[in-house]
């Protein structure tokens, strides 16, 4: 039986998948590892790369879809992880890669010795997909991750490919599934059921601005952004029942999402209701709000360029 199940989701990641799989296969461990790769009906040659690797490495279990499951409303990570048999689950998206061969060993050793830890993460390198020479390192200032910091963060503070957690904690319930993505809910859920521990070692690489990433595909188009923001508001509203000590911080996060929903929907009634909040925004945020509210097409073009060229 494997000690670790590595869960990989990929969709049109042909330029990156080989590096992703090589980083997993290069891990040096004292235990067995299974590699579960879910290809969500890619059309760019990703499936062929996956078939080639699966034919050469028995530890890779390829699951190649003929119809895109995300478009059918399914969560690719949950579908894939349901096949896992390892004690621990580690995540690596198909456009990311692991750059330290001791990553799995370090995280497993930590979880083995810290039963109070529900999730162990680590420092990572962030690079631009359009310019790999542009990179930065993302670190957290302490070994125990503060849940309040994670609630305040604008996205998911840690790259999904830094996560390792216990398979027994995979099912986090409907309140955490409502967002339809799993990195941020997994992070917050872990901080509620236990502790989140941080290892100050740069062990993975996150690519920003990949054209088929969730942010790039879904958060530029207004209607998909609006739908996502509605789900995020519902998610954080439900979160208050699970983390009552953080209710004030959660309310601040919801307020920020309401401002985002207002600018995306260009709803004058909502803008009027949120006027005190919008007026209190820092100058740069207020300027961005006004530009997007009044000139949405120009702002979307700017946003698409920024996602591709800014770390």
């Amino acid at each position: 039986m494997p000690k670790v199940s590595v869960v990989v989701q990929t969709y049109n990641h042909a330029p990156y998948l080989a590096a992703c799989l090589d980083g997993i296969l290069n891990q040096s461990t004292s235990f067995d590892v299974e590699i579960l790769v879910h290809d969500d009906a890619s059309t760019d040659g990703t499936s062929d790369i996956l078939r080639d690797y699966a034919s050469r490495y028995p530890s890779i279990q390829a699951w190649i879809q003929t119809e895109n499951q995300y478009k059918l409303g399914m969560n690719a990570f949950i579908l894939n992880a349901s096949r896992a048999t390892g004690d621990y689950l580690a995540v690596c998206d198909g456009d990311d890669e692991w750059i330290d061969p001791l990553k799995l060993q370090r995280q497993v050793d930590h979880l083995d010795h810290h039963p109070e830890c529900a999730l162990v993460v680590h420092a990572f390198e962030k690079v631009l997909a359009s310019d790999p020479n542009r990179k930065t390192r993302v670190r957290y200032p302490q070994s125990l991750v503060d849940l309040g910091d994670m609630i305040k963060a604008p996205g998911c503070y840690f790259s999904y490919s830094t996560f390792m957690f216990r398979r027994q904690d995979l099912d986090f319930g409907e309140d955490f599934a409502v967002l339809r993505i799993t990195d941020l809910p997994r992070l917050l859920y872990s901080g509620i059921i236990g502790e989140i521990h941080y290892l100050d070692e740069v062990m993975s690489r996150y690519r920003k601005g990949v054209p088929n990433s969730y942010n790039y595909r879904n958060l530029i188009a207004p209607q998909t952004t609006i739908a996502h923001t509605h789900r995020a508001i519902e998610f954080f509203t439900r979160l208050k029942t699970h983390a009552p000590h953080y209710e004030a911080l959660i309310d601040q996060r919801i307020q920020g999402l309401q401002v985002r929903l207002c600018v995306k929907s260009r709803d004058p009634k909502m803008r009027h209701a949120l006027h005190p909040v919008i007026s209190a925004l820092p100058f740069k945020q207020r300027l961005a709000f006004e530009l997007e509210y009044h000139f949405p097409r120009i702002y979307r073009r700017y946003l698409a360029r920024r996602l591709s060229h800014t770390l």
Side-chain angles (χ1 to χ4, degrees):
M1 291 287 288
K3 179 82 169 181
V4 173
S5 299
V6 180
V7 186
V8 181
Q9 287 67 243
T10 188
Y11 174 71
N12 285 354
H13 288 152
Y16 316 111
L17 184 59
C20 169
L21 296 178
D22 287 342
I24 299 169
L25 291 165
N26 288 337
Q27 291 295 300
S28 177
T29 66
S30 61
F31 45 79
D32 291 335
V33 176
E34 66 177 0
I35 305 168
L36 310 175
V37 188
H38 176 275
D39 174 60
D40 208 12
S42 293
T43 58
D44 70 339
T46 295
S47 304
D48 294 331
I49 295 170
L50 178 53
R51 288 189 185 95
D52 173 61
Y53 269 80
S55 70
R56 292 187 285 128
Y57 299 99
S59 59
I60 295 178
Q61 301 177 35
W63 192 8
I64 299 173
Q65 298 287 349
T66 57
E67 188 171 7
N68 186 277
Q69 299 300 296
Y70 178 80
K71 292 179 180 178
L72 296 176
M74 306 298 290
N75 186 299
F77 174 81
I78 298 298
L79 282 174
N80 197 16
S82 66
R83 304 187 293 155
T85 60
D87 296 330
Y88 299 136
L89 301 184
V91 186
C92 192
D93 288 335
D95 54 349
D96 295 337
E97 63 181 295
W98 295 348
I99 57 177
D100 188 325
L102 294 177
K103 169 191 156 68
L104 286 183
Q105 188 71 55
R106 288 192 180 109
Q107 289 186 290
V108 164
D109 289 346
H110 190 88
L111 286 173
D112 279 349
H113 290 91
H114 294 276
E116 76 281 6
C117 177
L119 175 70
V120 58
V121 295
H122 55 76
F124 63 98
E125 184 178 80
K126 181 164 62 171
V127 302
L128 275 179
S130 61
D131 183 1
N133 292 319
R134 292 187 61 188
K135 60 185 69 174
T136 186
R137 290 184 169 183
V138 180
R139 298 185 183 273
Y140 189 73
Q142 58 196 38
S143 59
L144 182 62
V145 176
D146 182 81
L147 184 59
D149 288 345
M150 302 302 101
I151 291 170
K152 289 185 293 185
C156 182
Y157 188 95
F158 294 99
S159 162
Y160 209 5
S161 297
T162 69
F163 285 26
M164 181 183 284
F165 58 95
R166 293 176 174 82
R167 180 165 60 94
Q168 67 187 31
D169 297 329
L170 174 62
D171 184 6
F172 49 31
E174 175 58 30
D175 285 352
F176 290 86
V178 69
L179 195 52
R180 291 187 61 194
I181 58 174
T182 53
D183 54 353
L184 177 61
R186 173 63 53 193
L187 185 71
L188 299 183
Y189 175 76
S190 299
I192 290 168
I193 67 169
E195 295 179 354
I196 304 171
H197 291 182
Y198 165 75
L199 306 180
D200 195 32
E201 300 281 350
V202 178
M203 296 190 284
S204 66
R205 179 174 292 132
Y206 164 75
R207 287 187 176 85
K208 183 178 183 296
V210 174
N212 290 301
S213 66
Y214 183 87
N215 283 343
Y216 200 99
R217 282 186 294 145
N218 295 331
L219 300 189
I220 294 174
Q223 293 307 313
T224 52
T225 305
I226 289 169
H228 173 84
T229 307
H230 275 298
R231 291 194 299 270
I233 290 171
E234 182 180 356
F235 166 74
F236 279 101
T237 300
R238 295 188 184 196
L239 185 66
K240 287 193 286 187
T241 64
H242 298 277
H245 296 301
Y246 295 91
E247 184 170 349
L249 284 178
I250 295 171
D251 282 337
Q252 290 178 21
R253 185 72 181 267
I254 291 172
Q255 196 172 72
L257 289 165
Q258 289 171 335
V259 170
R260 184 182 184 189
L261 184 61
C262 173
V263 73
K264 294 296 182 182
S265 62
R266 302 174 69 205
D267 184 335
K269 292 182 179 179
M270 182 178 291
R271 174 167 185 157
H272 178 75
L274 290 171
H275 177 73
V277 179
I278 296 168
S279 298
L281 289 174
F283 174 76
K284 288 186 177 179
Q285 292 182 29
R286 176 70 185 273
L287 178 61
F289 175 92
E290 297 295 347
L291 286 173
E292 186 172 8
Y293 190 90
H294 293 290
F295 308 102
R297 292 183 181 178
I298 295 174
Y299 189 83
R300 284 199 296 274
R301 287 198 293 269
Y302 159 76
L303 183 61
R305 181 176 177 81
R306 188 172 184 271
L307 283 171
S308 299
H309 294 89
T310 306
L311 278 172

